[in-house]
């Protein structure tokens, strides 16, 4: 009887070990599958985002500056004394190299704010540069 009980206990332990191995294997497979699915989804999303970035049109600096200048001009049509629009237009035109185009809004700023020395200084510098170019062009 003891041998039957001993065999039963051994068989039960083997089944228990087998069940533990199966449960461990199922756990490992499910964890691995979830991890692989997550990584695959992450790479798929990253790949799609990189494609979207590549297809975005590149706007040239000149086009951007031109659009900014047009925007400031539209604001000035509605509000001719808008300081922010006048300053923005001056900055954009100077960045574009259009010094002659920057003179008129600078003159308007000096007229609106005669106490602002910075406007006067920039206006004089721009006038000198524009005048210097005209003199250089006339000598040739």
């Amino acid at each position: 009887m003891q041998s039957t009980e001993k065999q039963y206990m051994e068989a039960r332990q083997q089944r228990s070990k087998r069940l533990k191995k199966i449960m461990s294997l199922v756990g490992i497979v499910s964890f691995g599958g979830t991890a692989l699915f997550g990584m695959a989804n992450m790479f798929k999303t990253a790949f799609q985002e990189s494609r979207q970035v590549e297809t975005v049109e590149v706007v040239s600096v000149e086009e951007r500056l031109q659009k900014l200048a047009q925007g400031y001009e539209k604001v000035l049509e509605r509000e001719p004394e808008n300081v922010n629009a006048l300053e923005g237009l001056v900055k954009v035109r100077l960045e574009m190299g259009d010094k002659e185009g920057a003179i008129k809004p600078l003159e308007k700023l000096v007229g609106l704010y005669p106490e602002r020395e910075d406007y006067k200084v920039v206006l004089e510098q721009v006038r000198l540069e524009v005048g210097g170019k005209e003199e250089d062009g006339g000598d040739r």
Side-chain angles (χ1 to χ4, degrees):
M1 194 129 178
Q2 276 186 338
S3 74
T4 315
E5 208 174 287
K6 191 175 183 183
Q7 288 174 349
Y8 171 77
M9 289 303 281
E10 286 177 9
R12 186 172 172 175
Q13 284 178 348
Q14 286 178 350
R15 275 186 293 189
S16 179
K17 284 181 182 179
R18 201 174 316 138
L19 187 60
K20 285 180 184 176
K21 286 181 182 179
I22 291 171
M23 293 303 286
S24 296
L25 184 61
V26 168
I28 290 171
V29 168
S30 65
F31 176 76
T34 304
L36 285 175
F37 180 75
M39 288 191 325
N41 197 16
M42 179 182 68
F43 285 120
K44 179 182 170 188
T45 304
F47 182 70
Q48 287 174 344
E49 287 176 3
S50 68
R51 271 193 171 164
Q52 290 173 351
V53 170
E54 291 172 5
T55 59
V56 172
E57 291 184 29
V58 177
V59 179
S60 73
V61 174
E62 291 173 11
E63 290 175 18
R64 184 182 62 81
L65 290 173
Q66 190 66 34
K67 287 180 181 178
L68 280 171
Q70 290 170 354
Y72 288 129
E73 288 167 355
K74 286 181 183 178
V75 170
L76 290 170
E77 286 173 11
R78 293 187 312 256
E79 304 171 43
E81 296 182 359
N82 185 313
V83 178
N84 292 328
L86 286 167
E87 288 179 349
L89 185 59
V90 168
K91 288 178 185 176
V92 168
R93 286 190 176 164
L94 290 175
E95 283 184 51
M96 292 169 52
D98 181 13
K99 295 182 184 194
E100 289 177 21
I103 291 176
K104 191 173 179 179
L106 270 170
E107 288 173 344
K108 182 124 184 173
L109 283 169
V110 169
L112 290 172
Y113 299 97
E115 69 280 357
R116 294 274 310 256
E117 291 297 319
D118 54 338
Y119 292 154
K120 292 177 185 177
V121 169
V122 173
L123 178 60
E124 289 305 313
Q125 287 177 342
V126 172
R127 282 183 175 161
L128 285 173
E129 290 177 21
V130 169
K133 286 183 181 179
E134 289 174 1
E135 289 173 9
D136 289 343
D139 291 342
R140 289 182 183 177

